[in-house]
């Protein structure tokens, strides 16, 4: 019973194969019976000929040819996914795939693959930017940067027939079109329907077909060279496809008429995105301008308040505050200037600072100014201003640099303090010190004289002791010496009191200058 079932199964299988394709020989039918699964590797980026969609499904003209052949032969094609065309060719060389659905015939590929008769024939075209000089033939490619997809037939054709042309290979046709569109490269050689498909689908509107190469890509079904019987089988099945059916498939996937830009879905997507981004950008700019105006207004108010405070501070100060530019010209002078010099501030604005200095101070002050502009820190120093009535006003200057927002020195700011009273006090201290020094010298002389007198008195006293007590002459002599000593002592006491008074006066003057007292007074 089992043998009968097996015979029926084999007969049914052979009958179905014969019903599908009556052109095959018995050997070919037997081979197919043993090879029901044939692996194929399509080009992943070759629309509309063949490619994988976003879901990884095999699409395009070749996919429909493969469906027809699969049904005709009663076999299954296992689709192998590759990342690019170079990987497809490498798998074919390594016998990791059995068949390529659509590939051009080249001497290199003939070493490891057999070819069917071409079932798809397309011209190679020259793609350029719209504003690029027109190139009609390959003879005009010399000196241009030419892009082709790595491993495509155009690379082989140009390498063989025009080896002097510089070829720049890219991984995908879309990469090449983008390089041409953005001006990175000059020209691309591509298969016409594939180039048109990508240009329309991607909305690359600045490209055109400038000319033809004179070469055609004749796409065949490539089969393993070590399986010649597979090539024969595929050729017979391909020949069984009616010409009308082939035209129907081509018309379904290929249109060479340029569609209106408004019928391009991607165009509308890009346009909407541009409008949305433009609107968002416009709103952001409006908000930014509003915030910026508020910040400017706030800073203007703060600056105005700060300036008012600054002017109030400088205008109410007894010190003269003035600003100079980098050339030493007055740009601001406070109102205290008139009280100190007798001149109005406006009389000196726009003038050099040297105009108000006594002649002997001009050179050193200019030197200090220049060193300050160069960044050196200048300590306090004294000058003399010329008053309107001709007198000189001693002043102490405290000067610092003015900087802009970038930290560059744009001038100098000075505070000038009238030190006339201080100079008077210093003069009085000097005079009192001189008087004190004289009193010290006089006191020292008196001290020496007193010492001598005391020594003399002691000597006289000792001498008198040896004389006869009660002699009138000796008593008179002793009295005279004692009177002389008493007068001298009174004068010394008066001198010490006067020295003490001078010390007190000097201490008062130093206290007036906010300085520490110099002398300790003993009462």
């Amino acid at each position: 019973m089992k043998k009968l079932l097996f015979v029926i199964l084999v007969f049914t299988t052979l009958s179905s194969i014969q019903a599908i394709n009556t052109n095959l020989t018995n050997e070919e039918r037997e081979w197919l019976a043993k090879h029901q699964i044939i692996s194929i590797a399509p080009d992943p980026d070759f629309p509309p000929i063949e490619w994988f969609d976003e879901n990884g499904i095999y699409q395009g003209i070749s996919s429909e040819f493969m469906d027809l052949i699969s049904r005709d032969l009663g076999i299954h094609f296992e689709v192998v996914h590759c990342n690019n065309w170079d990987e497809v060719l490498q798998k074919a060389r390594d016998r990791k795939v059995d068949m390529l659905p659509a590939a051009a015939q080249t001497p290199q590929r003939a070493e490891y693959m057999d070819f069917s008769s071409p079932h798809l024939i397309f011209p190679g075209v020259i793609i350029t930017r719209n504003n690029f000089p027109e190139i009609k033939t390959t003879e005009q490619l010399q000196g241009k940067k030419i892009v082709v997809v790595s491993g495509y037939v155009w690379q082989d054709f140009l390498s063989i027939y025009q080896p002097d042309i510089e070829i720049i290979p890219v991984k995908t046709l879309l990469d090449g079109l983008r390089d041409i569109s953005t001006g990175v490269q000059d020209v691309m050689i591509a298969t016409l329907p594939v180039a048109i498909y990508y240009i329309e689908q991607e909305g690359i509107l600045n490209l055109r077909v400038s000319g033809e190469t004179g070469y055609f890509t004749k796409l065949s079904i490539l089969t393993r060279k070590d399986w010649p019987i597979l090539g024969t089988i595929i050729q017979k099945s391909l020949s069984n496809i009616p010409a009308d059916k082939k035209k129907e498939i081509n018309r379904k996937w290929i249109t060479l008429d340029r569609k209106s830009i408004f019928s391009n879905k991607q165009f509308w997507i890009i346009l909407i995105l541009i409008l949305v981004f433009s609107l968002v950008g416009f709103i952001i700019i409006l908000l930014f301008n509003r915030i910026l105006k508020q910040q400017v207004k706030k800073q203007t108010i703060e600056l105005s308040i700060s300036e008012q405070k600054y002017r109030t501070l400088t205008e109410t100060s007894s010190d003269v505050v003035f600003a100079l530019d980098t050339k030493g010209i007055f740009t601001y002078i406070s109102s205290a200037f008139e009280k100190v010099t007798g001149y109005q501030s406006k009389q000196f604005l726009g003038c050099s600072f040297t105009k108000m200095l006594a002649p002997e101070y001009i050179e050193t002050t200019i030197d200090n100014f220049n060193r300050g502009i160069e960044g050196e820190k200048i300590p306090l120093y004294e000058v003399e201003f010329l008053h309107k009535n001709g007198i000189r006003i001693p002043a102490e200057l405290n000067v610092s640099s003015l900087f802009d927002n970038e930290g560059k020195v744009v001038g100098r700011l000075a505070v000038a303090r009238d030190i006339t009273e201080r100079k008077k006090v210093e003069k009085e201290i000097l005079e009192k010190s001189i008087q004190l020094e004289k009193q010290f010298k006089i006191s020292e002389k008196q001290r020496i004289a007193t010492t001598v007198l005391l020594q003399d008195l002691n000597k006289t006293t000792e001498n008198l002791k040896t004389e006869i007590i009660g002699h009138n002459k000796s008593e008179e002599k002793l009295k005279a010496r004692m009177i002389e000593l008493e007068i001298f002592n009174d004068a010394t006491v008066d001198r010490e009191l006067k020295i003490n008074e001078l010390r007190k006066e000097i201490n008062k003057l130093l206290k007036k200058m906010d300085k520490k007292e110099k002398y300790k007074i003993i009462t």
Side-chain angles (χ1 to χ4, degrees):
M1 185 67 179
K2 291 183 179 179
K3 288 183 179 180
L4 178 61
L5 289 174
F6 177 75
V7 170
I8 293 171
L9 180 61
V10 171
F11 178 77
T12 304
T13 303
L14 291 174
S15 298
S16 64
I17 293 175
Q18 288 177 349
I20 293 172
N21 193 318
T22 58
N23 295 326
L24 300 181
T25 66
N26 289 334
E27 181 186 2
E28 290 167 346
R29 291 192 191 99
E30 290 175 1
W31 190 92
L32 283 178
K34 297 177 181 178
H35 299 82
Q36 284 290 291
I37 298 176
I38 303 295
S39 61
I40 64 173
D43 187 332
D45 295 303
F46 200 49
I49 311 302
E50 58 182 3
W51 80 101
F52 295 112
D53 65 13
E54 61 274 10
N55 297 317
I57 299 173
Y58 181 31
Q59 298 282 353
I61 296 173
S62 292
S63 70
E64 295 207 17
F65 274 88
M66 292 298 102
D67 285 342
L68 292 174
I69 293 172
S70 175
R71 289 198 297 269
D72 182 45
L73 298 177
I75 60 175
H76 173 68
F77 289 127
E78 181 182 42
V79 179
V80 176
H81 289 247
C82 297
N83 294 317
N84 51 58
W85 184 243
D86 283 336
E87 186 180 342
V88 170
L89 294 178
Q90 188 60 49
K91 285 186 181 295
R93 280 191 290 267
D94 296 341
R95 303 281 190 254
K96 292 182 179 179
V97 293
D98 305 324
M99 198 166 79
L100 305 184
Q105 302 177 19
T106 67
Q108 294 90 336
R109 295 170 190 171
E111 296 176 1
Y112 53 91
M113 302 295 280
D114 287 331
F115 309 124
S116 72
S117 60
H119 61 294
L120 298 170
I121 300 175
F122 302 111
V125 291
I126 301 169
I127 309 295
T128 64
R129 291 183 300 281
N130 292 334
N131 60 354
F132 196 80
E134 191 173 46
I135 299 177
K136 290 186 175 294
T137 65
T138 55
E139 283 74 19
Q140 296 174 271
L141 295 177
Q142 190 66 39
K144 306 295 188 298
K145 292 181 283 187
I146 315 300
V147 175
V148 296
V149 178
S150 178
Y152 276 17
V153 66
W154 310 118
Q155 185 176 13
D156 295 336
F157 281 168
L158 292 175
S159 299
I160 295 170
Y161 299 113
Q162 291 183 281
D164 55 336
I165 292 177
E166 179 186 1
I167 299 173
I168 303 167
V170 292
K171 288 186 177 181
T172 67
L173 191 139
L174 184 56
D175 290 339
L177 291 176
R178 286 171 176 166
D179 283 349
I180 304 303
S181 176
T182 56
V184 176
Q185 311 297 351
D186 300 328
V187 177
M188 183 169 196
I189 307 299
T191 304
L192 177 60
V194 182
I196 294 297
Y197 178 90
Y198 270 118
I199 289 172
E200 290 184 347
Q201 289 297 314
E202 298 297 322
I204 308 175
L205 305 178
N206 68 329
L207 297 184
R208 62 172 177 168
V209 176
S210 180
E212 297 183 1
T213 62
Y215 306 124
F216 289 83
T217 177
K218 298 179 181 181
L219 302 177
S220 303
I221 300 174
L222 277 60
T223 56
R224 302 172 48 157
K225 201 171 187 65
D226 61 337
W227 285 359
I229 192 171
L230 176 60
T232 304
I233 294 170
I234 294 298
Q235 180 61 60
K236 287 181 179 181
S237 181
L238 185 61
S239 300
N240 278 346
I241 300 174
D244 291 343
K245 185 61 177 177
K246 292 179 180 178
K247 288 180 182 179
E248 180 187 335
I249 295 172
N250 285 338
R251 281 195 299 269
K252 176 183 176 181
W253 294 98
I254 297 175
T255 173
L256 298 182
D257 295 330
R258 294 299 295 269
K259 297 178 182 178
S260 169
I261 187 173
F262 300 107
S263 65
N264 190 311
K265 181 180 178 181
Q266 189 164 3
F267 166 77
W268 288 108
I269 293 173
I270 293 173
L271 181 61
I272 291 170
L273 287 175
I274 290 173
L275 291 175
V276 169
F277 282 119
S278 298
L279 181 61
V280 171
F282 180 70
I283 293 172
I284 291 173
I285 290 172
L286 283 179
L287 291 174
F288 178 76
N289 284 340
R290 180 174 293 182
I291 293 171
L292 186 62
K293 286 180 180 179
Q294 291 175 350
Q295 291 291 332
V296 170
K297 184 177 180 181
K298 181 181 177 182
Q299 290 182 5
T300 301
I301 293 172
E302 290 175 354
L303 185 62
S304 178
I305 294 171
S306 177
E307 185 177 354
Q308 289 175 8
K309 288 181 179 179
Y310 171 76
R311 284 192 173 275
T312 301
L313 181 64
T314 57
E315 295 300 329
T316 56
S317 173
S318 59
D319 295 336
V320 179
V321 180
F322 60 87
L324 307 169
D325 63 16
T326 54
K327 295 181 179 179
I329 304 301
F330 283 111
T331 57
Y332 170 78
I333 307 176
S334 67
S335 58
F337 182 75
E338 186 174 354
K339 297 176 184 178
V340 174
T341 66
Y343 292 104
Q344 293 182 354
S345 301
K346 62 182 180 180
Q347 291 179 268
F348 277 76
L349 286 175
C351 299
S352 172
F353 69 85
T354 57
K355 184 177 178 181
M356 68 179 186
L357 294 174
E360 64 270 26
Y361 290 93
I362 291 177
E363 185 177 349
T364 56
T365 308
I366 290 176
D367 181 63
N368 286 339
F369 175 81
N370 290 334
R371 288 191 289 122
I373 288 292
E374 291 174 0
E376 186 178 340
K377 187 175 181 180
I378 307 299
L380 296 175
Y381 62 97
E382 295 180 5
V383 296
E384 287 187 355
F385 294 154
L386 296 176
H387 196 276
K388 187 176 181 180
N389 61 15
I391 64 172
R392 295 184 174 211
I393 307 299
E396 182 182 67
L397 291 183
N398 185 4
V399 190
S400 58
S401 292
L402 295 171
F403 302 92
D404 61 12
N405 292 333
E406 297 178 357
K408 182 182 178 182
V409 177
V410 293
R412 299 282 280 169
L413 180 68
V415 178
R417 174 163 293 179
D418 183 354
I419 56 173
T420 301
E421 289 301 318
R422 191 176 82 186
K423 287 295 182 182
K424 287 181 180 178
V425 172
E426 288 177 352
K427 185 179 179 181
E428 288 184 34
I429 290 175
L430 180 62
E431 291 174 352
K432 297 294 183 182
S433 296
I434 291 172
Q435 292 178 23
L436 185 61
E437 184 67 24
K438 288 180 179 179
Q439 293 297 329
F440 274 137
K441 289 180 179 179
I442 294 172
S443 178
E444 181 64 18
K445 289 179 180 179
Q446 289 180 343
R447 185 186 66 78
I448 293 171
T450 302
T451 301
V452 172
L453 186 62
L454 287 172
Q455 290 175 350
D456 184 56
L457 182 61
N458 288 333
K459 186 178 179 180
T460 302
T461 303
E462 291 296 326
N463 292 334
L464 287 174
K465 286 180 180 180
T466 58
E467 294 181 2
I468 299 173
I469 298 173
H471 287 181
N472 292 335
K473 188 175 181 180
S474 296
E475 289 179 0
E476 289 175 1
K477 191 174 181 180
L478 180 60
K479 286 179 181 180
R481 285 288 187 180
M482 292 295 291
I483 292 170
E484 184 180 349
L485 181 61
E486 187 176 345
I487 293 170
F488 190 80
N489 184 60
D490 289 341
T492 300
V493 171
D494 289 341
R495 186 70 62 189
E496 288 296 326
L497 290 172
K498 190 169 184 180
I499 287 173
N500 246 13
E501 288 299 320
L502 285 173
R503 286 175 173 171
K504 288 180 181 179
E505 289 180 18
I506 290 173
N507 280 347
K508 286 180 181 179
L509 291 172
L510 288 171
K511 188 175 182 181
K512 189 176 181 181
M513 294 176 65
D514 295 326
K515 292 185 177 181
K516 187 178 179 180
E517 293 182 351
K518 186 176 180 180
Y519 301 105
K520 185 176 180 180
I521 307 301
I522 300 173
T523 56

